[in-house]
Amino acid sequence: MILCGYTGFAQLKDQTWNKTQFPNGGRETQFMKVIDKKLYVVCNDGIWSSESGTERWSNILPGGIVSTFIKHKNNYYIGLWTGGIYKSTDMRTWSEPDSLLRAAVYKIVPDGDDVYVCTGKGLYKWNGVKLKWEMEKINNDNIHSQRITDLGVTNKKLVAFACDQLFSRDKGSTGKWEKMEFKYNFCVSDVLEVSNKLYFSTTGDGIYTINPESKNAQKKADNKNPHVQKIKLINNKIVDLYHKGIYEDGFPEFRVGDDYVTDIIEHENKIYISSAKEGIYTIPVTQARNKELTVLTVRPNPSSGQISYCIKNPMGSEYEINIVDISGRLILNKRVTPSEHEDFCDGNYSGIKA
């Protein structure tokens, strides 16, 4: 059986993304955060941090079930996929302020003095007098039993995102959450606030926007890719992250061709991308421009018979292609020189034994 994959350095306009010394060692990165001017990476074996201006990484919190991580009012908070929220003042000693909240935690979201938690059983808000998480009264009738996956905050409104419905409430109000005039069939994957305007990405219908005064959502006009994983603000541009690339608003060819990209973030005048298993890469902000990465695809993949391959977006260089099977046996070795910007395809290669 042949199982092919594409790895290596991602290039944008003659600029190579530099691989950091992050000790990936097979661990999977999930997302990144910048807190107190320090970069944190949440992985399947806990939270790692990098000292400013250095390549020294340390595992500051072992454990692989962290779903969300913030700092609010001198306290660090983490939420767990398996349920539970923990708080610390120094990232060393952690306590559970309310052990009764055991639903899966998706996001912890601050709003002024308040802290909200999005969970698989609804939206909760911290009650500092009673010292407990209290459920917000949202009339969520979707099929996922009141699951709230994210919360958007503007200067006028709060917007709660269920899996197929939206709910809003005026800022500072304790009244009822109202269902917005919008319904969709895909889950919300990420929420971004820019200049009091909310952008949210979905797992199958692209990106939508919500203005503070509006009661419904509008689909983003230049929405070309429906399956959006995350949406971020990088170098003052909105960047959409997909499994197969990263696109900058206004520059549709800004792409990193890594099928396992998990996050993108800006920190200390650099852009960092994390991949699920290949570590963390970086380039200076000033060098991140619009050039699509050269990508090798092999079809069918996996295969036990004939295969063919294509080089997409070649840069006019000579390429050495090595295709190996899952045991490491060399199946194909060939040098090709395709024309720049013209996809180069070849095959079929047969006689491959399983």
Side-chain angles (χ1 to χ4, degrees), residues 123-137:
L123 179 67
Y124 289 78
K125 179 181 176 182
W126 179 251
N127 186 320
V129 177
K130 297 181 180 180
L131 299 179
K132 61 182 296 187
W133 297 102
E134 293 188 335
M135 181 182 285
E136 292 287 301
K137 296 179 180 179

Side-chain angles (χ1 to χ4, degrees), residues 110-130:
D111 174 34
D113 292 332
D114 297 324
V115 179
Y116 290 88
V117 181
C118 306
T119 79
K121 293 184 178 179
L123 179 67
Y124 289 78
K125 179 181 176 182
W126 179 251
N127 186 320
V129 177
K130 297 181 180 180

Side-chain angles (χ1 to χ4, degrees), residues 25-273:
R27 65 179 49 88
E28 296 186 7
T29 62
Q30 298 169 18
F31 64 92
M32 297 181 286
K33 293 279 289 189
V34 173
I35 297 177
D36 292 336
K37 299 182 180 180
K38 181 179 289 189
L39 178 63
Y40 293 91
V41 181
V42 179
C43 302
N44 63 342
D45 65 344
I47 300 177
W48 291 70
S49 70
S50 172
E51 295 183 30
S52 179
T54 74
E55 275 287 319
R56 291 191 293 268
W57 296 84
S58 57
N59 189 337
I60 61 171
L61 182 63
I65 52 177
V66 174
S67 58
T68 180
F69 173 40
I70 71 163
K71 185 180 181 183
H72 180 253
K73 301 292 184 180
N74 296 318
N75 289 312
Y76 299 93
Y77 293 86
I78 59 170
L80 308 182
W81 288 115
T82 53
I85 298 171
Y86 293 81
K87 182 174 72 171
S88 174
T89 58
D90 56 10
M91 290 286 288
R92 291 188 294 271
T93 302
W94 294 84
S95 62
E96 193 173 15
D98 182 1
S99 61
L100 296 180
L101 186 59
R102 279 298 167 198
V105 177
Y106 299 113
K107 285 288 183 68
I108 304 174
V109 182
D111 174 34
D113 292 332
D114 297 324
V115 179
Y116 290 88
V117 181
C118 306
T119 79
K121 293 184 178 179
L123 179 67
Y124 289 78
K125 179 181 176 182
W126 179 251
N127 186 320
V129 177
K130 297 181 180 180
L131 299 179
K132 61 182 296 187
W133 297 102
E134 293 188 335
M135 181 182 285
E136 292 287 301
K137 296 179 180 179
I138 296 179
N139 182 24
N140 184 2
D141 57 3
N142 74 11
I143 63 174
H144 297 285
S145 301
Q146 298 189 336
R147 184 168 66 179
I148 302 294
T149 59
D150 215 325
L151 180 72
V153 179
T154 71
N155 63 349
K156 292 186 177 181
K157 283 187 180 294
L158 302 176
V159 179
F161 294 84
C163 212
D164 59 357
Q165 300 173 57
L166 306 182
F167 303 86
S168 69
R169 190 172 72 182
D170 290 339
K171 197 78 171 287
S173 171
T174 58
K176 180 182 177 181
W177 289 78
E178 296 184 357
K179 186 184 295 187
M180 298 180 65
E181 298 172 1
F182 178 73
K183 188 175 179 66
Y184 51 97
N185 297 317
F186 300 94
C187 289
V188 169
S189 54
D190 205 6
V191 177
L192 173 68
E193 184 273 329
V194 180
S195 300
N196 286 309
K197 184 177 183 178
L198 291 178
Y199 295 80
F200 66 94
S201 56
T202 70
T203 57
D205 201 26
I207 300 171
Y208 286 79
T209 62
I210 301 174
N211 288 311
E213 313 293 340
S214 177
K215 290 187 177 181
N216 57 16
Q218 300 291 329
K219 195 168 186 178
K220 199 164 176 280
D222 57 347
N223 211 19
K224 297 180 180 180
N225 297 275
H227 194 101
V228 186
Q229 297 300 308
K230 292 181 181 178
I231 179 169
K232 296 293 185 72
L233 190 67
I234 303 293
N235 198 20
N236 295 316
K237 291 284 187 178
I238 293 176
V239 171
D240 314 332
L241 185 149
Y242 305 83
H243 276 312
K244 295 185 178 181
I246 300 174
Y247 293 79
E248 180 181 352
D249 194 11
F251 294 92
E253 290 185 347
F254 182 99
R255 176 171 178 171
V256 180
D258 183 342
D259 285 351
Y260 301 97
V261 169
T262 58
D263 208 354
I264 181 169
I265 200 167
E266 186 176 347
H267 175 56
E268 294 185 338
N269 296 317
K270 292 182 180 180
I271 296 175
Y272 290 80
I273 58 171

Side-chain angles (χ1 to χ4, degrees), residues 276-343:
K277 296 182 179 179
E278 296 297 325
I280 297 174
Y281 296 79
T282 183
I283 59 171
V285 170
T286 55
Q287 295 178 5
R289 270 303 77 173
N290 56 322
K291 186 67 178 179
E292 196 166 3
L293 171 71
T294 299
V295 178
L296 171 68
T297 59
V298 178
R299 292 188 177 89
N301 184 11
S303 172
S304 58
Q306 289 186 331
I307 61 170
S308 63
Y309 67 87
C310 285
I311 300 176
K312 183 176 176 59
N313 313 313
M315 299 194 182
S317 305
E318 183 182 60
Y319 292 84
E320 181 179 4
I321 298 173
N322 292 295
I323 297 178
V324 298
D325 65 13
I326 197 169
S327 67
R329 180 170 60 99
L330 182 66
I331 301 300
L332 172 69
N333 173 263
K334 188 174 184 179
R335 291 182 180 272
V336 297
T337 306
S339 300
E340 188 171 3
H341 305 311
E342 293 183 4
D343 293 355

